[in-house]
Amino acid sequence: MSTSKRSPIIVEHLRKQQMLDSMAKDKRIDGRAFDELRPLEIEVDVIKKANGSALVRLGNSEVIAGIKVETGEPFEGLENKGALIVSAEVLPTASPHVEPGPPDEEVIELARVVDRGVRESETVDLEKLVLVEGKVVYTIFVDCSVLNADGNLFDATSYATVAAILTAKIPIFEMQDGKVVDTGNTMPMPVTTIPISVTQVKMGDAMLIDPTAEEEAAMDARITITTSDEGYCALQKGYTGSFTIEQIKKAAEIARIKGEEVRAKMKEITKYGT
């Protein structure tokens, strides 16, 4: 994928210096404050044939998520739980730096980080999605496609995934004569909490929330922290640079505050809890 592919070294150096000069005045190059999100738009039920779907625009980054529910065997060691699988792809038209072909390590990491946030927060009560323990369970596939890549795909993809889960209507299956039968009825996804990821990058000594692709190309390190209604539930550090303990503490506090803001918007749009 390499959506944060770096420019030629001279251009990269000059552009990063421009960013650092702007940050010395407490502003980013796009005019935002260090802890300011880009405009966030969330639409739900955008794929009529899916069991749940959502389209998210975070600045110029755009991601669509669709849910398909089937039945299958449980994962080994999780015989009393349904299965949930998050996958991601970046369409070749999403960025000039994306080429057709199998997912590279960046796309695989994207899917894993989003999956971890949903799984570790126990967003879905998977114990309620079992038909025959150890044999037949609900299997939830969440397929995410990046339509436009302009930075912070971790959060944009996570928000699309969560919004799709919150508004999903899944088929009610029953066992009849040893076979799985679709009753033709649906039920809401058994949701227990709302995970919200907040990604920040380090550039020089500054920490920037919701980075653009240009900022990601000049970053020293990246950290994604996911919180739920109950507290912190997942963390992923990326790229080659490092964070001080104080920077991680500050990043965690910002993730908590911004997570609450995005969570409130998510609840309003999806009508969760109403």
Side-chain angles (χ1 to χ4, degrees):
M1 177 181 72
S2 194
T3 55
S4 57
K5 185 176 180 180
R6 301 197 165 225
S7 307
I9 188 67
I10 295 177
V11 175
E12 175 193 330
H13 177 76
L14 292 174
R15 193 58 172 163
K16 183 171 183 178
Q17 189 58 52
Q18 284 182 314
M19 294 181 190
L20 292 173
D21 291 343
S22 180
M23 288 187 292
K25 302 174 184 177
D26 294 326
K27 285 290 183 182
R28 295 155 75 164
I29 204 161
D30 61 4
R32 283 185 293 155
F34 293 179
D35 63 349
E36 183 179 350
L37 288 167
R38 291 173 293 175
L40 172 62
E41 300 177 20
I42 304 172
E43 297 179 40
V44 297
D45 195 25
V46 293
I47 306 174
K48 299 305 178 182
K49 292 186 178 181
N51 296 117
S53 60
L55 174 66
V56 163
R57 299 181 186 90
L58 183 58
N60 290 325
S61 288
E62 191 171 7
V63 180
I64 191 168
I67 292 177
K68 177 68 174 178
V69 180
E70 300 178 352
T71 59
E73 297 181 359
F75 292 134
E76 185 177 353
L78 300 171
E79 286 78 9
N80 64 334
K81 293 183 178 182
L84 187 148
I85 302 168
V86 177
S87 63
E89 65 171 345
V90 181
L91 301 182
T93 53
S95 166
H97 306 305
V98 177
E99 298 181 358
D104 64 13
E105 60 183 18
E106 289 188 20
V107 180
I108 293 171
E109 182 186 24
L110 172 62
R112 286 178 175 173
V113 171
V114 174
D115 182 276
R116 184 179 299 120
V118 173
R119 193 177 303 280
E120 293 301 321
S121 64
E122 298 183 345
T123 302
V124 180
D125 187 350
L126 296 176
E127 291 185 357
K128 292 184 178 179
L129 298 179
V130 177
L131 290 172
V132 180
E133 186 170 332
K135 294 183 178 181
V136 184
V137 299
Y138 284 77
T139 302
I140 303 163
F141 296 96
V142 186
D143 296 317
C144 304
S145 296
V146 176
L147 307 179
N148 195 54
D150 188 29
N152 197 11
L153 298 183
F154 290 99
D155 293 349
T157 304
S158 178
Y159 300 162
T161 296
V162 172
I165 288 174
L166 293 178
T167 55
K169 299 293 183 182
I170 63 178
I172 298 176
F173 296 113
E174 292 181 353
M175 296 298 297
Q176 296 181 10
D177 299 324
K179 296 182 179 180
V180 177
V181 175
D182 187 339
T183 66
N185 298 316
T186 62
M187 64 180 180
M189 190 79 75
V191 174
T192 65
T193 190
I194 300 178
I196 299 294
S197 70
V198 174
T199 296
Q200 301 169 67
V201 298
K202 177 182 176 181
M203 191 183 303
D205 294 326
M207 297 287 291
L208 310 178
I209 191 175
D210 181 26
T212 63
E214 196 170 39
E215 289 170 334
E216 288 179 336
M219 69 183 174
D220 299 312
R222 181 189 65 236
I223 190 168
T224 300
I225 300 174
T226 303
T227 61
S228 68
D229 297 289
E230 290 72 35
Y232 298 100
C233 55
L235 182 150
Q236 177 79 13
K237 187 264 182 188
Y239 210 60
T240 57
S242 60
F243 296 97
T244 66
I245 293 176
E246 289 305 313
Q247 286 172 332
I248 293 176
K249 288 181 178 179
K250 182 178 179 180
E253 180 62 11
I254 291 175
R256 182 188 66 79
I257 294 170
K258 295 299 177 180
E260 290 177 355
E261 294 177 7
V262 176
R263 188 174 296 108
K265 185 168 187 174
M266 185 77 71
K267 288 181 179 179
E268 179 184 357
I269 292 172
T270 63
K271 304 187 185 306
Y272 175 75
T274 61

